[in-house]
Amino acid sequence: MPSIVWSRFRKFGNNGDEAGSEHSGEKPIGQVLPAEDVGPGGLSFEEDTAGGLGRHLGVMSCTLLIVGRIIGTGIFSTPSSILGGVGSVGASLMLWVLGFVLSFCGLFIWLEFGTMYPRSGGEKVYLEAVYQKPKYLATVVFAVNAILLGFTASGCIVSAGIILVSAGQVATVWTERGIAIGVILFATVLHGFTPRTAVIVMNVLTIFKIVILLFVVVTGWVVLSGKTHIADPHVNFRDAFAGSSHSSNDYATATFKVLSAYGGWSNANYVLNNVRNPVRTLKIAGPLGLGICAVLYLLANIAYFSAASKAEIDASGVTVAALFFKNVFGSAAERALAVFVALRYVLFRLAATFFRPYDFTVDIELAKEGIPLPFGNKFWASNWPTGKTPVPGLIIHLIASVIVIIAPPMNVAYPFVLDVQGYPQQIINFLVVVGLFWLRWKKPHLHRPFKVWWPLAAFYLVACVFLLVAPFLPPNNGVGDTPPLPYYLYCLVGIGVLGFGVLYWAAWRIILPKVFGYELVPRKDVLEDGTVVTSFSRQKVQ
């Protein structure tokens, strides 16, 4: 199997015209384009890629982009909730391996789509390519999910808890909420007006994150060797599956958290308009970035389990890394790590434009396609007010994040946020994989610089189905991991968000035009930076 999979990478190598072209995937201006080369807003490839920063990201930058996005707060916080959900160290480690396998399967699927359609936007582009009718439905549903659930509240919540730990303070509800809001507000304002620091911070911070994880891994090896004061570093690995849960719901919910921790392997797909030689770059940077993170994640989990008991890890909440350093090096090291992780997250938000292009690139792409948004599409597609940084896109996610920080109880906010973001994303992933098979069947002659081995896509599809069904099955404890909230609530919220997208589309495209007797007439506008935007005017029906 490996030879079959990796042969796909060599099919279009550096010497091939497809991979070697600096503008692979582009069509000459003025040429009549096939339907798949035109977005729902009528933008050609050249129009879609016009404006912005141009193609300035290479293999190294894209690899760091992926690594920097994947290694977030998840690996420092989620191992405790995953262990608490599945009940045993062995089951927890197996889920991290499963998450790695599923992420690689997903990566290969996204590589096929990304090399076929080398445009910014990720899943937005792929859904539009497959589900072209009803027009704009896939785009609007994806837009609603991206805007309403594209928040970064989870990291803010983690940062608030870690800051309080580092200060040796006991948190009250509103103290923690206030700190979380302050973190994202401060970072958003600074990032919106200091765009040139983003690339520097991205590269430096990614290296720091790799270094800190490597330090955890190496320290774990030392602990396992028995050369520290940890009494029995192997206790968690004896009878490792003792206490494992027998509930599908527990495993599905924990898998969402694992996949969230691995989230970011498709990061480069969102900024392909800015990538040099996107086909070749994507095929190298994707597997390399995810592979680095997967190895570090698995070894870091082993290190955590070597330095603390199951009960300690389960009770550590979102500060499992701090617990590790406390047990190995003492309370001073715990606080030092807490300060580092908190500072790391603030800097992470400063580099949001590059670490999480999903947060702003998708908004820009949606605005460019003509999706109706408050204050008009031109505003959201613009770089107001600096002319360099997409401040409007950052504002959208600032508002959504603040709402999520305030709304649920703080003790369940972090796991609930991860779950509610994960479920609709799995629905989108399911639709993307189904679309892959549909395109293979309906359009077998489409140019595919990379072609995923179909059993991997089938395995990913089966996993998506399981992750969509299992959360509705009652967990062992009957309440899930976010009491007092019902265990199935995050699924309903996720489905509700996508359902709202359908209603929004129906109101925009069908109901309001019929009620008020007008039709939507598209036109193309060019912004000051050269960005081409589709806008709609209302024309009375005679």
Side-chain angles (χ1 to χ4, degrees):
M1 185 183 76
S3 61
I4 297 175
V5 174
W6 291 105
S7 66
R8 307 297 186 186
F9 286 92
R10 297 192 297 269
K11 182 177 179 182
F12 292 86
N14 295 344
N15 296 326
D17 292 338
E18 293 85 348
S21 171
E22 182 72 13
H23 303 285
S24 177
E26 295 187 15
K27 305 293 186 296
I29 296 176
Q31 179 177 327
V32 177
L33 301 175
E36 58 267 17
D37 288 328
V38 180
L43 299 181
S44 67
F45 184 88
E46 291 77 15
E47 291 169 334
D48 186 51
T49 56
L53 300 174
R55 297 188 181 277
H56 63 286
L57 299 175
V59 172
M60 181 60 68
S61 293
C62 286
T63 302
L64 292 175
L65 184 73
I66 292 169
V67 173
R69 172 62 184 94
I70 294 177
I71 304 178
T73 53
I75 189 58
F76 298 108
S77 53
T78 55
S80 57
S81 61
I82 292 167
L83 175 64
V86 299
S88 73
V89 171
S92 178
L93 290 175
M94 291 303 295
L95 278 187
W96 284 98
V97 174
L98 176 63
F100 159 67
V101 173
L102 286 176
S103 296
F104 254 104
C105 292
L107 173 67
F108 291 147
I109 294 168
W110 266 244
L111 279 177
E112 178 165 335
F113 271 113
T115 54
M116 277 198 299
Y117 305 101
R119 296 186 179 200
S120 293
E123 292 91 353
K124 168 191 171 293
V125 177
Y126 315 146
L127 293 174
E128 290 170 351
V130 177
Y131 306 101
Q132 298 179 5
K133 295 181 180 180
K135 193 171 184 179
Y136 285 103
L137 176 59
T139 307
V140 172
V141 171
F142 183 80
V144 170
N145 178 70
I147 292 172
L148 296 184
L149 298 183
F151 42 72
T152 54
S154 56
C156 298
I157 294 167
V158 171
S159 293
I162 291 174
I163 288 172
L164 290 168
V165 168
S166 66
Q169 300 295 318
V170 177
T172 64
V173 172
W174 283 105
T175 300
E176 199 165 1
R177 284 174 174 168
I179 293 174
I181 293 172
V183 167
I184 191 170
L185 181 62
F186 173 73
T188 300
V189 170
L190 284 182
H191 175 70
F193 294 93
T194 57
R196 294 198 174 193
T197 63
V199 175
I200 297 174
V201 172
M202 181 195 78
N203 292 332
V204 172
L205 190 51
T206 298
I207 294 171
F208 267 125
K209 288 191 286 187
I210 293 175
V211 168
I212 196 70
L213 269 185
L214 283 173
F215 185 73
V216 169
V217 169
V218 173
T219 303
W221 290 342
V222 176
V223 172
L224 287 171
S225 71
K227 297 180 180 179
T228 66
H229 66 275
I230 302 297
D232 187 358
H234 302 93
V235 64
N236 284 329
F237 304 103
R238 300 191 191 98
D239 197 11
F241 289 90
S244 296
S245 171
H246 299 288
S247 168
S248 299
N249 178 285
D250 290 338
Y251 286 97
T253 302
T255 302
F256 280 133
K257 293 180 175 64
V258 172
L259 293 178
S260 177
Y262 279 113
W265 45 262
S266 61
N267 224 24
N269 292 63
Y270 297 114
V271 292
L272 287 180
N273 288 0
N274 303 122
V275 175
R276 294 193 303 268
N277 199 350
V279 172
R280 175 181 177 274
T281 300
L282 197 60
K283 291 194 291 185
I284 297 174
L288 180 60
L290 179 57
I292 291 171
C293 296
V295 172
L296 291 175
Y297 272 22
L298 189 59
L299 294 178
N301 271 276
I302 293 174
Y304 293 151
F305 293 131
S306 70
S309 67
K310 283 175 56 177
E312 286 179 314
I313 295 174
D314 194 21
S316 66
V318 296
T319 57
V320 62
L323 172 67
F324 172 81
F325 276 82
K326 176 185 177 182
N327 285 359
V328 177
F329 299 108
S331 298
E334 176 191 23
R335 293 190 179 184
L337 177 73
V339 171
F340 170 80
V341 174
L343 178 61
R344 184 207 66 79
Y345 183 74
V346 174
L347 293 175
F348 171 82
R349 285 303 301 156
L350 287 175
T353 298
F354 288 90
F355 279 133
R356 287 181 61 93
Y358 180 93
D359 284 355
F360 78 98
T361 305
V362 170
D363 291 340
I364 294 174
E365 293 301 316
L366 292 169
K368 286 163 61 176
E369 293 285 3
I371 304 302
L373 298 170
F375 307 110
N377 297 64
K378 293 181 181 179
F379 174 72
W380 299 112
S382 72
N383 291 321
W384 176 90
T386 64
K388 298 178 180 179
T389 308
V391 175
L394 294 174
I395 292 174
I396 290 178
H397 296 284
L398 171 64
I399 295 171
S401 297
V402 170
I403 292 173
V404 172
I405 290 170
I406 294 175
M410 286 302 292
N411 63 322
V412 300
Y414 183 72
F416 182 76
V417 165
L418 292 182
D419 295 341
V420 81
Q421 286 179 307
Y423 195 82
Q425 184 60 47
Q426 282 304 316
I427 296 177
I428 291 172
N429 292 349
F430 171 80
L431 294 174
V432 170
V433 183
V434 170
L436 178 84
F437 286 109
W438 186 88
L439 281 180
R440 291 271 189 97
W441 175 48
K442 283 290 188 179
K443 300 181 180 180
H445 302 300
L446 278 179
H447 175 58
R448 292 177 172 86
F450 175 86
K451 196 172 182 180
V452 63
W453 193 41
W454 74 264
L456 296 182
F459 175 68
Y460 192 80
L461 179 62
V462 171
C464 286
V465 173
F466 169 76
L467 291 173
L468 293 177
V469 174
F472 286 100
L473 303 177
N476 283 340
N477 61 7
V479 295
D481 65 345
T482 57
L485 303 178
Y487 65 87
Y488 51 81
L489 180 62
Y490 73 89
C491 304
L492 298 182
V493 172
I495 294 173
V497 168
L498 299 182
F500 176 73
V502 175
L503 295 177
Y504 190 84
W505 169 84
W508 173 49
R509 298 288 297 180
I510 300 175
I511 298 174
L512 292 179
K514 283 188 177 181
V515 170
F516 295 101
Y518 65 82
E519 62 180 1
L520 297 170
V521 179
R523 70 176 187 276
K524 296 178 182 179
D525 298 319
V526 181
L527 304 183
E528 292 182 0
D529 65 351
T531 301
V532 181
V533 180
T534 298
S535 301
F536 288 91
S537 58
R538 299 173 183 176
Q539 181 174 309
K540 272 288 185 181
V541 177
Q542 301 298 328

